[in-house]
């Protein structure tokens, strides 16, 4: 026997509404609203009865309609450039933790290093009227994405500084990280360094290179630096550079390598092992960047600079929620968080 509403229309022929749930459970419409939004205000027996009706009728709350009616949403959209990189997974985890503290949820979208997908997801979140948007874009694409839409939601940018001063941004201090990486190699006795990475159109790469240059400059000529540019920061780029370095005569080969990313460092170590080239770390110390989980299982554990991914996600979400909650009093901030040196087997001979 089919279920009909008060007009005699079969409910199965249309989406189930809150009114249908209220009638089925024998409660007021406001009670159903409380069950959905403020369950702590509903008596346990009533709560169970309404939830039973929701399950039996197959009611699905239209959160977008509720957000439009109330002028608010409890959803934050997060567009991430590359979820294959654990740095961005850490960001997402930190964002989710902070959002949940405020009774909100994070909806994650992976643009997979495709600029057009970033724009598609930004438009999607905009149309869905999310409360706000976190954007961790491809750094070279950030301003283009931000300028190609009229975003209804507040936006906070992660991992790059946008040109628009009326936006909050949370970044990691990549120049400091490059400096700490080079300083570590110099302090352990390395005197011929190489920086391996690219492309230099990516600001994190250029910032890390700048930090390495600063550490070398402080040596007053006792340390030299070679730069090997790669097309990307993947393991294949590291293997290619590693083969080039392994082919050099021992007296021309650097004794310390700062890789722009852990995957590059991993590729270098793999190439050295495959080519039976210089020993790591006896002949050449190698240090990466990001503390990427993909590089933890290297045959020789990689020294690295750990980026504060979770903290970046938490801080960015806190700024976004502050802007959503108190737009009149909110002041835009640019926060630069510090990386942490992690020393493992690849850079120490002890």
């Amino acid at each position: 026997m089919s279920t009909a509403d008060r007009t005699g229309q079969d409910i199965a022929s249309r989406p189930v509404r809150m009114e249908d749930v209220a009638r089925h459970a024998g409660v007021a419409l406001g009670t159903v609203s409380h069950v959905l939004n403020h369950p702590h205000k509903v008596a346990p027996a009533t709560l169970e009865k309404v939830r039973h009706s929701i399950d039996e009728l197959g009611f699905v709350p239209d959160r977008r309609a509720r957000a439009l009616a109330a002028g608010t949403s409890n959803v934050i959209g997060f567009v991430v450039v590359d979820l294959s990189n654990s740095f961005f997974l850490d960001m997402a985890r930190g964002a989710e933790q902070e959002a949940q503290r405020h009774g909100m949820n994070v909806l994650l979208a992976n643009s997979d290093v495709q600029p057009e997908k970033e724009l598609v997801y930004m438009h999607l979140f905009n149309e869905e009227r999310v409360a706000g948007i976190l954007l961790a874009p491809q750094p070279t694409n950030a301003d283009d994405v931000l300028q190609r839409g009229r975003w209804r939601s507040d936006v906070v940018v992660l991992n790059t500084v946008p040109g628009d001063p009326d936006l909050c941004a949370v970044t990691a201090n990549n120049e400091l990280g490059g400096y700490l990486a080079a300083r570590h190699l110099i302090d352990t006795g390395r005197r011929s360094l190489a920086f391996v990475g690219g492309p230099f159109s990516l600001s994190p790469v250029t910032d890390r290179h700048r930090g390495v240059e600063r550490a070398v400059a402080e040596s007053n000529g006792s340390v030299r630096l070679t730069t090997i540019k790669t097309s990307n920061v993947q393991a294949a780029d590291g293997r290619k550079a590693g083969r080039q370095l392994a082919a050099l005569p021992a007296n021309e080969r650097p004794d310390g390598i700062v890789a722009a990313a852990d995957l590059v460092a991993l590729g270098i170590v793999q190439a050295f092992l495959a080519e039976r080239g210089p020993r790591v770390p006896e002949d050449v110390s190698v240090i990466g960047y990001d503390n990427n989980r993909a590089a933890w299982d290297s045959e020789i554990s990689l020294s690295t600079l750990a980026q504060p991914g979770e903290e970046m996600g938490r801080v960015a979400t806190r700024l976004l929620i502050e802007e959503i909650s108190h737009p009149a009093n909110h002041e835009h901030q640019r926060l630069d968080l510090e990386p942490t040196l992690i020393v493992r087997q690849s850079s120490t001979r002890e």
Side-chain angles (χ1 to χ4, degrees), residues 85-87 196 208 233-235 238 258-270 286-296 298 301-307 342 344 346:
N85 187 329
S86 63
F87 173 46
V196 181
R208 292 167 194 177
V233 284
Q234 301 300 316
V258 178
D262 281 338
L263 290 178
V264 175
L266 176 64
I268 292 170
V269 171
Q270 290 173 340
V286 179
I287 184 168
Y289 208 108
D290 289 335
N291 200 27
N292 193 323
R293 287 175 176 79
W296 288 2
S298 171
S301 62
L302 293 174
S303 296
T304 188
L305 268 295
Q307 298 226 63
I342 297 179
R344 299 193 181 106
S346 68

Side-chain angles (χ1 to χ4, degrees), residues 32-50:
V32 179
S33 178
H34 278 318
V35 169
L36 295 172
N37 300 299
H38 310 288
H40 61 282
K41 295 183 178 181
V42 183
T46 304
L47 189 66
E48 183 178 352
K49 182 166 59 174
V50 173

Side-chain angles (χ1 to χ4, degrees), residues 66-293:
R66 286 159 56 194
L68 288 171
T72 61
S73 169
N74 70 340
V75 175
I76 291 171
F78 195 171
V79 182
V80 179
V81 64
D82 183 12
L83 282 179
S84 68
N85 187 329
S86 63
F87 173 46
F88 296 105
L89 284 175
D90 289 341
M91 277 188 201
R93 185 176 294 108
E96 184 178 45
Q97 291 168 353
E98 186 66 21
Q100 288 178 345
R101 285 186 60 245
H102 295 271
M104 304 187 77
N105 300 298
V106 174
L107 188 60
L108 195 60
N110 177 32
S111 68
D112 205 23
V113 203
Q114 296 180 42
E116 286 307 312
K117 283 184 72 174
E118 289 180 352
L119 195 60
V120 167
Y121 284 129
M122 288 290 288
H123 280 298
L124 176 62
F125 287 145
N126 202 44
E127 291 166 4
E128 292 299 320
R129 304 288 184 93
V130 297
I133 300 174
L134 299 169
L135 174 63
Q138 195 168 4
T140 54
N141 194 51
D143 287 333
D144 185 51
V145 168
L146 292 167
Q147 291 166 9
R148 286 175 65 184
R150 293 185 177 180
W151 312 119
R152 296 187 185 95
S153 304
D154 297 311
V155 178
V156 173
V157 181
L158 296 89
N159 204 42
T160 190
V161 178
D164 186 349
D166 291 327
L167 291 171
C168 287
V170 181
T171 56
N173 193 329
N174 286 290
E175 182 173 339
L176 174 62
Y179 174 84
L180 293 174
R183 188 73 259 168
H184 165 64
L185 297 183
I186 293 169
D187 289 344
T188 56
R190 303 305 186 176
R191 292 295 177 266
S192 177
L193 303 189
F195 178 88
V196 181
F200 272 60
S201 58
L202 296 177
S203 56
V205 173
T206 56
D207 290 346
R208 292 167 194 177
H209 182 255
R210 190 180 302 113
V212 172
E213 288 181 320
R214 177 157 63 92
V216 170
E218 289 179 354
S219 72
N220 296 319
S222 64
V223 178
R224 61 187 178 93
L225 174 65
T226 302
T227 299
I228 300 174
K229 296 183 179 181
T230 62
S231 58
N232 213 319
V233 284
Q234 301 300 316
D237 301 287
R239 285 191 289 271
K240 181 178 179 181
R243 288 192 291 269
Q244 294 173 357
L245 290 167
L248 293 173
N251 62 344
E252 297 179 17
R253 190 184 301 136
D255 59 7
I257 297 171
V258 178
D262 281 338
L263 290 178
V264 175
L266 176 64
I268 292 170
V269 171
Q270 290 173 340
F272 285 175
L273 292 172
E275 300 293 326
R276 296 185 179 180
R279 298 168 300 164
V280 177
E282 292 84 357
D283 303 320
V284 181
S285 290
V286 179
I287 184 168
Y289 208 108
D290 289 335
N291 200 27
N292 193 323
R293 287 175 176 79

Side-chain angles (χ1 to χ4, degrees), residues 14 26 28 57 274 296 329:
R14 60 167 174 77
L57 295 177
W296 288 2
N329 300 322

